[in-house]
Amino acid sequence: MNTGLAEYMQDALPQFTNEKLIKIKQRCSDSRLLIDLVPVHESFFDEYNINQRISEKDVNLDGEWLRLGFLAGELMKSGKIDQLSTLDLLEGRLEPYPYQMKVALNVLKDKSSNALLADEVGLGKTIEVGLILKEHIIRGNIHSILIITPKALVNQWKDEMYEKFGEEFVTTEDDDFDFDKNRIITSLSKLARNVEKFTTRQWDMVVVDEAHLLINTSSKRRQAVASIDRRYMLLSTATPLCNRLTDIYSLVDLLYPGLLGTLKSFRKKYFEDKAGRVCKPEMKDELKKVISNVMVRTLRSESGIPFTERFIYSLRVEGSSIEKQLYDAVINYMKKTYFNSLSGYGYSGQNGYKSNYFLMKELIILQQSLSSSPRALIRSLENRKLKNPGESELIDPIIELAEQVGNYSKAENLIKSLNNIPGEKAVIFTLRLETAHMLCNSLNENYMSARVYEGRLTGHERQALIEDFRKGKIQYIVATDSAAEGLNLQNASIVVNYDLHWNPMKIEQRIGRVHRRGQEKDVTVFNLVMKDTIDDYVLKVLYEKIELFKMTIGGIEAILSEIKDGDFDIEETIMDILIRSTNKRDIEKEFEKLREDLEYKKQQSMLREEFSRLVLD
């Protein structure tokens, strides 16, 4: 191709438009090669009449070259990517299920990377999105990526993209966030409040998780997403229909405006009843056929996932007298610190949170250390005293009390419990590294071979530790959540939540290190909590009454996605209950309210699933 033609095509071809439905992008940096066209719509309007000019030979350059350019665009519609090149790069990080690879290839090849991913709950739509993104990235197709998700899942997406795909993103929750970055994860509400910051450029790829939250076409977040200029868009939700047929219309129309006609014509064509809760029987197959052009959906029955059973046991440990004194002393200190900070603002409860966000986070960390071990608590208190020397008079007596704790009751119960199941390998999770080393020492002192899996180990040391664990030279691995990222330990059959994380997603991730593809045994999960502590209430309400342990990652995400952007997340909600409650009865009442709220969200999620199945499956 001569230079003049290349320049002409650069100027002319990107001008094809159809009210911004068509995005034509030049990818090829070598002017000798044919331009790579990526249309995102079945047809486009030739507003510059180039086809006609080619036919009439009214062009300054060889018309056959231009015709070849159009042919390239048509070929792209039938799909250029016929295999996933990214799989070899992910070896050791991720082993996708066959159905996940099938979905990713379908979207890349047949859906022009503009699709609705609607697998049933728990089948790993995040993995499918990651495969699609990674494939585009390694081919040099995309550079700017915007992932939009509910607030509660922002950090989850960041972790997943790095851990499983080796791709780094910044989030709008980061302290040093910059809108000019090319890979951003934001919450729906932050997008709506800052939409002008996201619409100053065209994004190569936009991903929306829990996309059913966009079904209301008049909502600010729906309008914000619709206003974003992009080449590709992926919408992900297990429940594309919540309670009306217009729900699926809204999502499809976001991807391909006009594909289902006008809203008025859609209602007339498909509604059996006025509310749109029933599709006309004779039109159901046609609706499914049209939707299948943009939607990919896998059912659990089609996934072929052979999961073993999961058994849950909770151990409520009676603390010693001094341990109970220590707990009360720390809780009183946290309450005093928090309400002293509010007094300057005249706020209380969630209003005060807006001015005390960082203090709330600091107190959650302190509470985690309290639950973990006296050694971890002392470390946290010493760090806090360095930061706030004026609090020394309050902190020093607590440190002295913590130093008086002898054998920690939780640790003693862990040793006894593991002794009752000899020969079984276990992964023990703690919230603090100090606790991990303490437990490791205790296990080894009792002739129970253990090692700490920590972040400062070199890659060689980590691999050697895992290999020793697999060969049986080590029976127990003790790890923190951050250090355990990426661990696949199917040769273990026991997971111990020595420290209970308040975020259900973190707990499920822990269990998923063992209860995953390739696990041949049933998995046993042990939870240890001190009686009558805040962790005890969390265990009863979140994990036992609502049965979150039995839910998949997708099911938990569906519940947490309902938390609004301005509200407390689950950990902050629990800390707020702890701080505001003056006695045990107050805590019980507040946790009952939390249970009812989460139970309602769970039921709503299940109803959305059922409605989607009735229409789509």
Side-chain angles (χ1 to χ4, degrees):
M1 183 185 294
N2 61 50
T3 304
L5 176 59
E7 292 175 352
Y8 179 83
M9 293 183 73
Q10 288 176 7
D11 292 338
L13 288 178
Q15 300 302 314
F16 289 98
T17 63
N18 182 9
E19 297 179 355
K20 292 187 177 181
L21 297 181
I22 311 307
K23 309 296 181 190
I24 300 179
K25 184 73 176 176
Q26 178 179 346
R27 281 180 44 232
C28 184
S29 58
D30 187 344
S31 61
R32 294 171 299 175
L33 301 178
L34 189 64
I35 193 171
D36 183 6
L37 300 177
V38 188
V40 300
H41 200 265
E42 282 195 1
S43 60
F44 53 81
F45 174 66
D46 182 1
E47 67 177 346
Y48 291 93
N49 297 315
I50 290 181
N51 256 320
Q52 180 180 347
R53 291 170 63 188
I54 291 174
S55 300
E56 297 174 355
K57 301 186 183 300
D58 182 20
V59 290
N60 296 325
L61 300 168
D62 186 351
E64 288 305 310
W65 281 106
L66 290 175
R67 197 183 305 278
L68 194 56
F70 282 104
L71 179 60
E74 292 301 312
L75 288 173
M76 282 300 297
K77 292 178 185 178
S78 62
K80 181 178 178 181
I81 300 176
D82 56 7
Q83 64 179 7
L84 296 177
S85 303
T86 190
L87 295 179
D88 291 339
L89 299 177
L90 299 177
E91 189 174 354
R93 284 182 178 270
L94 174 69
E95 186 181 357
Y97 286 101
Y99 74 86
Q100 293 172 329
M101 293 184 283
K102 182 180 178 181
V103 167
L105 196 55
N106 185 323
V107 172
L108 289 161
K109 183 180 179 181
D110 300 324
K111 301 290 191 293
S112 299
S113 296
N114 286 271
L116 172 60
L117 280 65
D119 290 358
E120 281 195 291
V121 169
L123 295 186
K125 290 180 289 300
T126 305
I127 301 299
E128 295 165 356
V129 170
L131 289 171
I132 295 166
L133 296 185
K134 189 72 174 182
E135 191 69 28
H136 275 303
I137 289 169
I138 65 173
R139 290 172 181 264
N141 291 352
I142 62 175
H143 302 283
S144 57
I145 305 169
L146 177 62
I147 297 177
I148 307 164
T149 182
K151 175 192 173 184
L153 307 181
V154 167
N155 289 325
Q156 167 71 11
W157 268 90
K158 181 179 181 178
D159 294 343
E160 290 270 299
M161 289 298 103
Y162 181 73
E163 177 186 333
K164 292 185 170 63
F165 300 97
E167 300 297 335
E168 294 191 31
F169 284 77
V170 299
T171 81
T172 48
E173 305 297 318
D174 296 342
D175 294 337
D176 56 349
F177 172 70
D178 182 356
F179 280 102
D180 292 330
K181 295 293 185 180
N182 260 345
R183 296 184 182 181
I184 295 176
I185 303 174
T186 185
S187 67
L188 282 161
S189 296
K190 280 203 173 179
L191 170 71
R193 290 199 302 268
N194 301 279
V195 64
E196 70 284 352
K197 301 283 184 66
F198 292 98
T199 53
T200 57
R201 55 169 158 168
Q202 182 189 70
W203 294 87
D204 292 331
M205 172 68 79
V206 172
V207 177
V208 183
D209 189 26
E210 303 296 340
H212 57 272
L213 298 174
L214 301 180
I215 59 175
N216 182 356
T217 55
S218 62
S219 69
K220 289 184 178 180
R221 55 192 177 190
R222 170 61 158 74
Q223 293 171 358
V225 171
S227 69
I228 297 174
D229 190 13
R230 86 281 176 181
R231 290 171 56 203
Y232 306 119
M233 175 178 277
L234 301 175
L235 304 180
S236 173
T237 175
T239 54
L241 290 120
C242 295
N243 53 25
R244 289 180 174 83
L245 294 176
T246 48
D247 300 340
I248 191 68
Y249 174 91
S250 178
L251 296 181
V252 172
D253 199 62
L254 187 59
L255 286 168
Y256 291 98
L259 182 65
L260 291 173
T262 65
L263 183 56
K264 182 178 180 180
S265 65
F266 178 80
R267 284 173 173 153
K268 183 177 181 181
K269 189 172 186 178
Y270 296 107
F271 278 25
E272 174 72 7
D273 63 326
K274 187 175 181 180
R277 299 183 187 276
V278 181
C279 181
K280 291 180 179 177
E282 69 274 16
M283 300 303 297
K284 185 176 180 180
D285 288 342
E286 180 182 320
L287 178 60
K288 290 168 65 174
K289 183 179 179 180
V290 175
I291 293 172
S292 69
N293 291 322
V294 298
M295 185 184 76
V296 185
R297 180 169 169 85
T298 306
L299 306 181
R300 291 190 194 94
S301 59
E302 301 169 338
S303 68
I305 300 178
F307 268 125
T308 57
E309 292 295 322
R310 178 186 298 186
F311 298 97
I312 313 296
Y313 298 96
S314 298
L315 305 176
R316 291 181 165 84
V317 180
E318 185 70 47
S320 65
S321 175
I322 194 167
E323 285 172 337
K324 293 177 181 178
Q325 290 178 46
L326 180 62
Y327 178 82
D328 291 339
V330 175
I331 299 302
N332 289 334
Y333 163 73
M334 289 194 297
K335 289 182 178 182
K336 187 171 184 178
T337 302
Y338 188 75
F339 286 114
N340 283 344
S341 73
L342 294 181
S343 60
Y345 301 99
Y347 295 144
S348 61
Q350 293 204 12
N351 291 328
Y353 158 76
K354 295 177 182 178
S355 298
N356 291 271
Y357 172 81
F358 294 108
L359 177 58
M360 177 69 81
K361 291 299 185 184
E362 289 174 4
L363 295 182
I364 290 173
I365 292 171
L366 185 60
Q367 161 62 29
Q368 290 176 339
S369 297
L370 169 63
S371 299
S372 190
S373 68
R375 187 178 302 181
L377 175 63
I378 291 171
R379 178 68 177 272
S380 292
L381 288 172
E382 287 175 342
N383 289 338
R384 181 156 184 83
K385 190 166 65 169
L386 288 173
K387 184 179 178 182
N388 303 279
E391 296 182 3
S392 295
E393 291 185 3
L394 295 173
I395 293 175
D396 286 339
I398 301 176
I399 292 178
E400 291 177 9
L401 192 59
E403 289 173 340
Q404 296 175 35
V405 177
N407 295 327
Y408 194 41
S409 300
K410 271 175 64 178
E412 290 182 335
N413 274 265
L414 174 65
I415 301 294
K416 291 178 183 177
S417 299
L418 293 178
N419 269 325
N420 289 329
I421 42 176
E424 294 292 342
K425 296 177 184 176
V427 184
I428 304 165
F429 286 98
T430 72
L431 290 168
R432 294 292 177 268
L433 188 58
E434 295 86 0
T435 305
H437 282 288
M438 180 269 290
L439 288 178
C440 185
N441 292 337
S442 296
L443 288 165
N444 286 316
E445 287 170 2
N446 284 271
Y447 306 101
M448 304 165 76
S449 57
R451 288 279 303 280
V452 175
Y453 189 91
E454 55 183 304
R456 59 190 173 192
L457 294 177
T458 66
H460 176 73
E461 289 171 331
R462 289 184 180 214
Q463 192 57 43
L465 190 157
I466 293 172
E467 192 62 28
D468 286 346
F469 184 67
R470 286 174 178 160
K471 291 180 179 179
K473 295 180 181 180
I474 300 171
Q475 188 174 359
Y476 305 105
I477 285 180
V478 189
T480 60
D481 293 288
S482 57
E485 289 180 356
L487 271 180
N488 298 326
L489 298 170
Q490 300 93 319
N491 58 319
S493 60
I494 296 174
V495 176
V496 178
N497 290 311
Y498 181 82
D499 294 333
L500 188 72
H501 206 295
W502 291 353
N503 187 333
M505 292 293 294
K506 293 291 186 182
I507 294 291
E508 183 57 35
Q509 287 167 10
R510 290 176 176 181
I511 299 172
R513 305 295 174 200
V514 172
H515 197 210
R516 61 190 302 120
R517 185 179 186 177
Q519 177 59 262
E520 297 178 352
K521 295 183 177 181
D522 292 336
V523 173
T524 302
V525 180
F526 289 100
N527 306 301
L528 279 82
V529 296
M530 299 290 280
K531 282 184 181 178
D532 297 323
T533 63
I534 193 69
D535 288 337
D536 195 7
Y537 290 105
V538 171
L539 182 64
K540 290 175 183 175
V541 174
L542 262 64
Y543 296 109
E544 294 179 351
K545 289 189 177 180
I546 303 180
E547 298 184 315
L548 292 185
F549 278 123
K550 296 182 180 180
M551 297 182 68
T552 62
I553 280 274
I556 296 171
E557 285 178 344
I559 293 176
L560 297 184
S561 69
E562 298 294 330
I563 297 174
K564 298 178 181 178
D565 198 39
D567 293 345
F568 288 147
D569 64 24
I570 192 70
E571 294 174 84
E572 293 159 357
T573 298
I574 294 168
M575 177 54 70
D576 183 59
I577 291 173
L578 178 61
I579 288 174
R580 287 189 296 102
S581 300
T582 57
N583 53 51
K584 182 178 178 180
R585 185 170 179 79
D586 287 344
I587 293 177
E588 290 174 347
K589 285 182 178 179
E590 291 296 329
F591 265 98
E592 180 60 23
K593 291 179 184 177
L594 177 60
R595 184 199 65 77
E596 291 174 354
D597 181 50
L598 293 177
E599 189 67 49
Y600 173 77
K601 289 179 171 62
K602 179 181 176 181
Q603 293 298 325
Q604 290 298 107
S605 177
M606 293 171 66
L607 288 173
R608 290 196 299 267
E609 287 182 58
E610 181 61 27
F611 187 62
S612 291
R613 279 195 290 267
L614 286 172
V615 176
L616 300 176
D617 305 333

